[in-house]
Amino acid sequence: MEMMKKILMMAILCLVFTTSGFAQFKRTAFNHVGLNAGVGTEGISIGVAAPVSNFVELEAGVDILPKFLSISDKANITTDASIIVQGQTVRIPDSKVDIDADFSRTAFHAKANIYPFGGNSKFFVAAGFAFGGAKLAKLSGHSDDLAQFISKYPEYSDEILNCVGAELSDYNIKFDKNGDINADLRCNSFRPYLGLGFGRVVPKNRLGFRWEIGCQYMGKLKIYQNGSEVDVRKALNDSMGEDGGDIADIVDKIQFYPVLKLQIVGRIL
């Protein structure tokens, strides 16, 4: 009987100490610091966070889409045209060009994670923004054949360039006078963000996990070639006819970038 009393007393003491330990962990303005690393549709993310209260935690970090997310392919340089040189007809030769599509970019983000139930609850709503990484995709390429042809008839370079293009699907990409392709797809540099998820960015324990889904508002997508903005609707209509207009309508409606992120979070203070 005496032994049972001692065991019961020890259990009560353990419960008291455990409960007081949980009670001692409070989140006040910047009294803790958390670090996090994650992966998702924004790429690889690294960030730092701090609480304001049990209801709000602030987070800032960087998102990196690495260089290895690139695609290489060959495209036809199609022409059905000729130039008149000193009364002689010179056909512009057909050829091929290697095109590289690069999706790498770096952006910074800042967010407020709001936990509506307070305490140590883990459900949150996030609001903030991403800044930078305006180029969603970059296309580059070079044609030695075209560059040599232009250098042979430099006074006809504009006429030649108006007649040639790299055939990417049903769209023709224009070259510059060096036989280079430089094109990119751009969105707004400043992109507001809303999301929700589960998990504390400053965890009570030293390590934890969290997930988050949301979207960034990118604004209207723009295509640039050789540093100048392209009228997407006109270019697609010229290349594809009526189908080009349908694709342009779709491009106009794509104004949100989906975000899905899985993170490992840690607390260092």
Side-chain angles (χ1 to χ4, degrees), residues 2-262:
E2 194 69 27
M3 181 62 70
M4 289 295 294
K5 288 182 180 180
K6 290 182 179 180
I7 293 174
L8 182 60
M9 184 60 69
M10 290 177 63
I12 292 172
L13 289 174
C14 287
L15 182 61
V16 169
F17 285 127
T18 302
T19 304
S20 63
F22 279 124
Q24 288 172 3
F25 187 80
K26 294 181 179 179
R27 294 179 177 88
T28 57
F30 305 104
N31 69 328
H32 295 295
V33 176
L35 298 177
N36 59 75
V39 63
T41 55
E42 295 175 296
I44 299 169
S45 66
I46 301 171
V48 62
V52 175
S53 69
N54 277 333
F55 295 91
V56 180
E57 294 175 348
L58 302 180
E59 177 190 359
V62 61
D63 302 301
I64 302 168
L65 274 172
K67 183 73 175 178
F68 66 76
L69 292 175
S70 60
I71 301 172
S72 297
D73 198 3
K74 282 188 178 291
N76 293 320
I77 301 176
T78 55
T79 67
D80 190 14
S82 303
I83 58 174
I84 305 300
V85 180
Q86 297 178 352
Q88 300 293 320
T89 300
V90 180
R91 191 179 186 283
I92 303 172
D94 293 341
S95 184
K96 288 186 178 290
V97 59
D98 291 319
I99 294 181
D100 295 320
D102 182 8
F103 300 95
S104 62
R105 61 177 179 149
T106 300
F108 299 92
H109 69 258
K111 290 184 283 187
N113 299 305
I114 301 168
Y115 299 83
F117 304 112
N120 285 312
S121 64
K122 295 184 177 182
F123 171 77
F124 67 90
V125 177
F129 64 88
F131 181 78
K135 294 183 179 180
L136 296 176
K138 292 161 276 188
L139 290 178
S140 60
H142 176 76
S143 170
D144 286 331
D145 293 337
L146 182 59
Q148 291 171 10
F149 189 79
I150 292 174
S151 66
K152 189 175 181 179
Y153 305 104
E155 64 273 27
Y156 299 94
S157 59
D158 290 337
E159 184 179 348
I160 294 168
L161 292 173
N162 284 334
C163 297
V164 300
E167 196 176 74
L168 186 65
S169 185
D170 292 315
Y171 183 72
N172 282 326
I173 304 173
K174 293 298 183 181
F175 288 85
D176 65 15
K177 293 182 180 181
N178 298 315
D180 292 329
I181 288 173
N182 291 292
D184 53 79
L185 178 66
R186 303 185 190 183
C187 64
N188 292 343
S189 294
F190 181 85
R191 300 180 294 279
Y193 172 81
L194 285 174
L196 55 85
F198 190 82
R200 285 278 179 171
V201 74
V202 181
K204 181 182 64 176
N205 299 321
R206 288 296 179 183
L207 286 175
F209 297 91
R210 73 196 295 261
W211 60 266
E212 182 176 345
I213 58 173
C215 62
Q216 297 174 8
Y217 176 71
M218 300 186 296
K220 185 178 179 180
L221 297 180
K222 299 176 181 179
I223 295 178
Y224 281 74
Q225 285 187 207
N226 302 319
S228 299
E229 185 178 353
V230 175
D231 186 330
V232 178
R233 186 172 296 277
K234 182 179 182 303
L236 289 173
N237 283 338
D238 290 345
S239 297
M240 304 173 62
E242 293 182 1
D243 291 338
D246 294 337
I247 294 177
D249 290 338
I250 294 173
V251 171
D252 286 341
K253 293 176 181 177
I254 300 175
Q255 298 188 4
F256 294 91
Y257 185 83
V259 173
L260 170 62
K261 182 180 292 186
L262 302 175

